[in-house]
Amino acid sequence: MPPKLDVLAWEADTAAAPARAASLWLRQPGNTSLSVVSFDVSDSSRPGKLLDQRLVPNVQPPMRGDSGESMAGLAAAMADPRVQAAVTARGLTMAEVTADYDSVGNYPGVVGTSPRQCAFEFYAAAGDNFYSRPLKLKAAVDLDSHQVLSVYDGHLAGDEVPPEAGGQMEVPVRDDPPKKFQISRPDGVSFTVDGNQVSWQRWQFHARTDWRVGVSVGMVRYNDTKASGESTVRSVAYELFLSEMFVPYQLDDQQWYYRTFLDAGEFGVGSDANELTAAECGGGEALYLDLHDVTLDGSLVTRKGIGCVFERWTGDPVWLHGEVCQPHQPCASKQTRAAVELVVRTVPRVGNYDYVVDTIFRLDGSIHFKVGATGIDAMKASTPHAARPGEMQHKAQMDQFRAAPYHDHIFNFRLDVDVDGQENELVLGKLEDYVPTGVPRPTMWGVQLEKASTESEGKRDLDDSIRHPEVWLVQNPESVHPATKNTAAFTLIPAGNLATLMQPTDPLAKRAAFTEHHLWTTPWSAAERFAAGDWPNQQPGGRDGLDIWTSANRSIANVDLVLWYTVGFHHVTLQENLPVLPTFWGAEFDLMPANFFERNPGMDLPEA
């Protein structure tokens, strides 16, 4: 990424376009140090100019399923006599099985930063959903030496192998499906595109694809048009993206305990994203975003349509007010303004799961973020048993052959919010009860405003948000409305959320330390982009990431702020998750204007 200040200076026409740079990671097999080399590639007619070269010790690059190392590791696992004997014991041949690759985490004394490892989980291959046919068989492979380090055989008889039936995704269509919808836009779409710059209604932003985070939305501006007709383009955010994902499973056996995935940093949600079509992008005209990616062997590949931008009618009102009639006066008619949204979407398929990741621009001046989980539950070959009274449950029995262990889906969003410029502050609005005077009510509540001055004060939690609610505002102290004296701000509005239930001594609490708080607030730094750090694969934690950066307890008063919001849900699996999980929108929140506009920005919309 070019330096932020250089980009802003270029946007303001006070400087030339910033240099375009590319970085390479160079790794020798068996070496845990990476060489990171950066080149200036602004002039495509000449070789790149070396900008920087540095050695990063004790790290592992992410896993890539399309790489030669993964294929070589799988071949080694398939050729291992222990794996072949276990497959034969299940009544299958090697031609009838397949495997999916997993990262292995970091567990002191068990798995460290070296050697570079991959775990291959085996499945019966026949059918359209091999994830529903687990074999209780795993091989851990050294990806440098191609040595099989260990094999876990959970022992499964041939008649216990989950069959195709019950797990297949292709089923007969119901007799009375919903009638077809016809989506018609006789006047075309309302958004325009100039390169990667998107304009819709009064919103302007830049959409960029990225191998690690999927789709990043940047340079977010709003053309604020006042009742007088005067308009001003105002900054809202510099960059908004999904920074990390964490999916820890909760089953205490040797095949499951290690499954604690940091999906963005260990795999890359952009490089694993689905190619989208009209079926996933509103059913009509859309802008499709390609990713130009590089595999681990240096090959260039274009991944088509990993993101899309589309407009949709929601069927909801932006605002409405019913008919009002008073004696001897004409009735004021009901008024409604229909809601239309602009959606920026990417759908990474990370192993068995698919995640619908949406950034939604709305006519009321807000931005809505949400993640829906769908795809296939990770399953364990399992036969039913009657639970004893008081017995703790760890998985849901899906049918007579398979169960789905419980787990979490946790996401962190990096929100570089620039409200009317870079110098912002975090204000905490604490809702507190008080005893009113002069009225017959004994209790009311008000909002006590406090400015957070350091990173420690910018760490906020929702654990007791019902009894002790807070409002989180990012405001520009220099942007004050002349009439109301209110300060322009945007507020982060949470929806549902979770606490991880991890103990502080759990190694995972260090690897995924960003889950310790729901909100983190830091001063902007070019080096701080990913909540779990740059290189989480096989890392024990404590190297970089939010917990390390904020330990300095830097000032966040009137600086360029970045919010990091952690949101997610506990997935207590259900029979209805078989064979495919209905999309569950378990993670969402809003950035909503707070005294940013002089009135409701949707007032001048036409009557619905």
Side-chain angles (χ1 to χ4, degrees):
M1 289 290 293
K4 178 177 179 178
L5 293 180
D6 291 354
V7 173
L8 294 176
W10 167 68
E11 182 195 30
D13 291 328
T14 59
R20 298 179 63 83
S23 294
L24 304 177
W25 310 332
L26 305 176
R27 176 183 177 271
Q28 293 180 332
N31 193 332
T32 57
S33 297
L34 280 179
S35 291
V36 180
V37 186
S38 299
F39 295 92
D40 183 335
V41 293
S42 300
D43 187 347
S44 59
S45 66
R46 295 187 300 175
K49 176 184 176 183
L50 180 65
L51 296 176
D52 179 54
Q53 183 171 358
R54 57 193 173 92
L55 192 68
V56 184
N58 300 318
V59 295
Q60 294 288 354
M63 314 292 299
R64 298 292 290 266
D66 57 5
S67 67
E69 68 168 6
S70 297
M71 296 300 101
L74 176 58
M78 288 282 202
D80 189 272
R82 294 165 292 179
V83 170
Q84 294 179 348
V87 169
T88 300
R90 287 156 173 78
L92 299 169
T93 67
M94 294 305 295
E96 294 175 306
V97 301
T98 188
D100 196 27
Y101 72 104
D102 285 340
S103 58
V104 295
N106 186 295
Y107 299 92
V110 181
V111 177
T113 305
S114 181
R116 180 169 172 78
Q117 292 188 43
C118 183
F120 292 94
E121 295 283 350
F122 286 86
Y123 302 85
D128 63 0
N129 183 7
F130 70 81
Y131 287 113
S132 72
R133 306 193 67 199
L135 294 177
K136 296 177 72 173
L137 179 63
K138 179 191 78 172
V141 178
D142 181 330
L143 291 178
D144 288 329
S145 68
H146 303 142
Q147 176 187 355
V148 178
L149 302 173
S150 65
V151 173
Y152 170 81
D153 182 357
H155 301 291
L156 197 66
D159 60 359
E160 295 176 320
V161 173
E164 289 182 57
Q168 71 271 31
M169 294 185 291
E170 294 289 341
V171 299
V173 175
R174 64 179 63 180
D175 295 333
D176 57 342
K179 299 293 190 294
K180 292 182 178 179
F181 281 84
Q182 182 175 0
I183 299 174
S184 176
R185 302 299 303 270
D187 299 325
V189 297
S190 302
F191 63 89
T192 59
V193 180
D194 181 7
N196 283 60
Q197 189 74 19
V198 179
S199 298
W200 176 75
Q201 294 299 291
R202 292 177 177 151
W203 286 107
Q204 304 168 15
F205 61 88
H206 182 272
R208 179 181 66 86
T209 56
D210 182 275
W211 76 268
R212 181 163 180 163
V213 305
V215 176
S216 170
V217 171
M219 307 292 285
V220 181
R221 306 288 184 260
Y222 192 94
N223 189 0
D224 182 13
T225 302
K226 297 178 170 55
S228 63
E230 176 189 359
S231 64
T232 306
V233 176
R234 303 171 67 183
S235 67
V236 174
Y238 181 73
E239 196 176 22
L240 310 167
F241 61 81
L242 174 66
S243 167
E244 190 54 88
M245 301 165 57
F246 181 46
V247 185
Y249 284 81
Q250 307 297 329
L251 194 59
D252 56 347
D253 73 22
Q254 291 299 310
Q255 194 180 7
W256 286 87
Y257 80 89
Y258 79 93
R259 299 191 194 195
T260 54
F261 307 124
L262 291 161
D263 286 329
E266 291 181 336
F267 304 104
V269 299
S271 60
D272 280 342
N274 289 286
E275 180 179 353
L276 302 179
T277 66
E280 300 90 27
C281 298
E285 185 177 344
L287 166 68
Y288 293 94
L289 306 171
D290 298 339
L291 172 66
H292 302 293
D293 197 10
V294 178
T295 63
L296 288 187
D297 64 4
S299 301
L300 180 65
V301 60
T302 296
R303 305 185 191 278
K304 303 290 290 184
I306 73 147
C308 64
V309 180
F310 64 94
E311 202 174 22
R312 68 182 174 197
W313 177 74
T314 69
D316 299 324
V318 176
W319 63 266
L320 69 81
H321 187 54
E323 183 179 64
V324 178
C325 295
Q326 294 180 328
H328 313 299
Q329 298 290 332
C331 293
S333 62
K334 175 175 71 71
Q335 294 201 42
T336 304
R337 304 295 185 267
V340 178
E341 299 175 335
L342 190 73
V343 181
V344 182
R345 171 171 291 174
T346 186
V347 186
R349 183 192 69 79
V350 189
N352 48 293
Y353 267 109
D354 299 77
Y355 295 96
V356 186
V357 184
D358 286 355
T359 304
I360 303 169
F361 292 87
R362 291 178 165 170
L363 293 170
D364 63 1
S366 67
I367 307 172
H368 185 66
F369 301 81
K370 66 177 183 176
V371 182
T374 182
I376 316 297
D377 277 350
M379 298 184 200
K380 172 186 175 68
S382 175
T383 55
H385 79 279
R388 297 184 297 274
E391 180 183 3
M392 178 176 282
Q393 303 299 302
H394 305 278
K395 61 186 186 299
Q397 192 70 36
M398 311 297 272
D399 62 10
Q400 62 267 45
F401 295 101
R402 51 205 134 208
Y406 302 153
H407 53 283
D408 298 318
H409 299 268
I410 308 174
F411 313 91
N412 181 273
F413 285 83
R414 183 181 184 272
L415 309 170
D416 184 356
V417 180
D418 287 354
V419 178
D420 277 339
Q422 285 73 56
E423 294 186 357
N424 290 174
E425 56 191 7
L426 177 67
V427 176
L428 310 173
K430 299 183 178 182
L431 280 66
E432 299 177 356
D433 65 295
Y434 71 96
V435 178
T437 59
V439 295
R441 287 174 55 182
T443 308
M444 292 183 176
W445 62 262
V447 180
Q448 190 72 44
L449 298 177
E450 299 178 5
K451 293 182 180 181
S453 59
T454 63
E455 288 177 298
S456 62
E457 294 174 2
K459 299 174 183 178
R460 314 306 299 176
D461 296 296
L462 297 170
D463 298 352
D464 197 21
S465 61
I466 293 178
R467 295 191 179 277
H468 300 285
E470 286 187 354
V471 177
W472 300 330
L473 298 157
V474 176
Q475 70 179 28
N476 187 324
E478 300 301 317
S479 184
V480 179
H481 192 278
T484 64
K485 307 305 179 187
N486 290 324
T487 305
F490 266 71
T491 178
L492 194 156
I493 307 292
N497 214 319
L498 85 170
T500 65
L501 306 182
M502 289 190 295
Q503 296 296 320
T505 55
D506 190 327
L508 283 183
K510 195 172 182 181
R511 290 196 74 220
F514 68 88
T515 63
E516 182 181 355
H517 301 290
H518 297 109
L519 181 70
W520 304 69
T521 312
T522 63
W524 182 88
S525 168
E528 299 174 5
R529 295 185 58 78
F530 308 113
D534 289 344
W535 314 100
N537 189 24
Q538 290 186 230
Q539 277 295 311
R543 178 189 182 90
D544 58 358
L546 279 169
D547 58 323
I548 303 303
W549 303 327
T550 58
S551 64
N553 200 23
R554 297 165 293 186
S555 172
I556 58 171
N558 205 22
V559 298
D560 190 354
L561 288 182
V562 178
L563 303 184
W564 308 74
Y565 184 59
T566 302
V567 58
F569 61 95
H570 301 296
H571 190 168
V572 179
T573 50
L574 306 166
Q575 288 180 196
E576 289 83 357
N577 298 171
L578 184 72
V580 182
L581 173 69
T583 304
F584 180 68
W585 299 98
E588 54 187 316
F589 64 97
D590 287 274
L591 284 178
M592 183 176 293
N595 303 319
F596 187 81
F597 301 108
E598 69 173 11
R599 63 173 186 171
N600 177 351
M603 289 306 300
D604 57 355
L605 293 168
E607 175 70 25

